[in-house]
Amino acid sequence: MCGRFASTTVPEDLVEIFGVQQWDPTETLAPSWNVAPTDAAFVVLDRAPRGEREPVRQLRVLRWGLVPSWSRSAETAVKMINARADTVHEKPSYRQAFASRRCLLPIDGYYEWQTTGTEGKRGPRQPYFVSRVDGAPLALAGLYEFWRDRSVPADHPDAWLVTCTVVTTEAEPLLAPIHERMPLFLDADAFDAWLDPSLNDPDEVRRLLVPPGPGALRVHEVGPAVGNIRNNSPDLVRELTDEDRTTLF
């Protein structure tokens, strides 16, 4: 499950890290340590620009929470922030995007909550922050989709909504005690194949749904403030100290 994440890497660095060829500097976002469903997020994708045939690697800003092209309303987005790797190829909401509209969501890290408690009594949920050991952005495997808002004219600025979702898989041993699932992240050697829109055989694409081996991630406890979407500061990702635990809990 991935329900919140941090994204503070400046777009100029993302362009370099991911080999982006096309980016509109006016399409940018402020750093955020608490990106929530339906918020905007940076996405890397390979797509042919309008009027051209060859795909170009682009850095885009899309809304998190996928709206299928056939959906009657954009309200489904908040429920479709994640897509399970084991069924993404067959679910009607995702299978078309899985075939040819795959993307990467470059993030600092994501938050996960663990339910605490003893002797059958449910305790408070403890948030954790998961990031790469080497400090590089986590490149989450994602899908994107176009949705036409029929309530406005075709030439209206809001006529088209482009949304994305994060693919999830079984959690690796480090994270399994916190939650049984985790976002599927990829190493650099898998970027080209995952983003390639000409790779559209579902069986071949499914072979890419394998995260790097254990050892690439680190996890630490953070404070409960991240649970409120109005909170947004670097303090949200700071590792809890014993003094913090005494004060907060």
Side-chain angles (χ1 to χ4, degrees), residues 54-70:
E54 293 299 318
V56 172
R57 185 152 302 175
Q58 305 175 33
L59 181 66
R60 301 284 300 275
V61 173
L62 307 187
R63 198 173 82 167
W64 182 27
L66 191 135
V67 180
S69 60
W70 43 261

Side-chain angles (χ1 to χ4, degrees), residues 133-150:
V133 170
D134 59 12
L138 264 177
L140 306 187
L143 312 175
Y144 70 98
E145 188 58 276
F146 295 87
W147 180 75
R148 170 75 166 90
D149 186 349
R150 302 292 175 181

Side-chain angles (χ1 to χ4, degrees), residues 46 57 102 186 188-199 205 208:
D46 284 8
R57 185 152 302 175
R102 299 179 297 275
L186 302 176
D189 58 1
F191 292 172
D192 289 346
W194 178 256
L195 296 176
D196 185 359
S198 69
L199 182 63
V205 180
L208 304 176

Side-chain angles (χ1 to χ4, degrees), residues 63-136:
R63 198 173 82 167
W64 182 27
L66 191 135
V67 180
S69 60
W70 43 261
S71 180
R72 294 183 179 181
S73 167
E75 294 179 0
T76 59
V78 72
K79 300 178 181 179
M80 301 179 68
I81 60 172
N82 295 153
R84 293 178 63 97
D86 48 329
T87 59
V88 67
H89 64 289
E90 60 186 11
K91 292 289 186 180
S93 297
Y94 304 119
R95 63 189 178 196
Q96 292 183 356
F98 180 68
S100 59
R101 289 185 291 277
R102 299 179 297 275
C103 62
L104 296 169
L105 284 79
I107 68 172
D108 302 351
Y110 72 96
Y111 301 94
E112 192 56 83
W113 279 260
Q114 181 184 44
T115 300
T116 63
T118 58
E119 300 179 357
K121 295 182 179 179
R122 187 170 181 173
R125 298 175 72 212
Q126 171 60 53
Y128 290 81
F129 187 67
V130 183
S131 57
R132 287 191 65 105
V133 170
D134 59 12

Side-chain angles (χ1 to χ4, degrees), residues 128-220:
Y128 290 81
F129 187 67
V130 183
S131 57
R132 287 191 65 105
V133 170
D134 59 12
L138 264 177
L140 306 187
L143 312 175
Y144 70 98
E145 188 58 276
F146 295 87
W147 180 75
R148 170 75 166 90
D149 186 349
R150 302 292 175 181
S151 67
V152 298
D155 59 353
H156 192 281
D158 298 328
W160 288 94
L161 179 65
V162 192
T163 58
C164 60
T165 190
V166 173
V167 178
T168 65
T169 188
E170 292 184 6
E172 64 172 70
L174 174 70
L175 305 175
I178 300 172
H179 197 280
E180 69 274 12
R181 297 193 68 79
M182 70 175 191
L184 175 67
F185 70 102
L186 302 176
D187 277 340
D189 58 1
F191 292 172
D192 289 346
W194 178 256
L195 296 176
D196 185 359
S198 69
L199 182 63
N200 53 23
D201 183 320
D203 289 333
E204 291 187 26
V205 180
R206 288 178 67 190
R207 297 190 183 101
L208 304 176
L209 296 173
V210 180
L217 301 177
R218 69 180 299 269
V219 58
H220 63 263

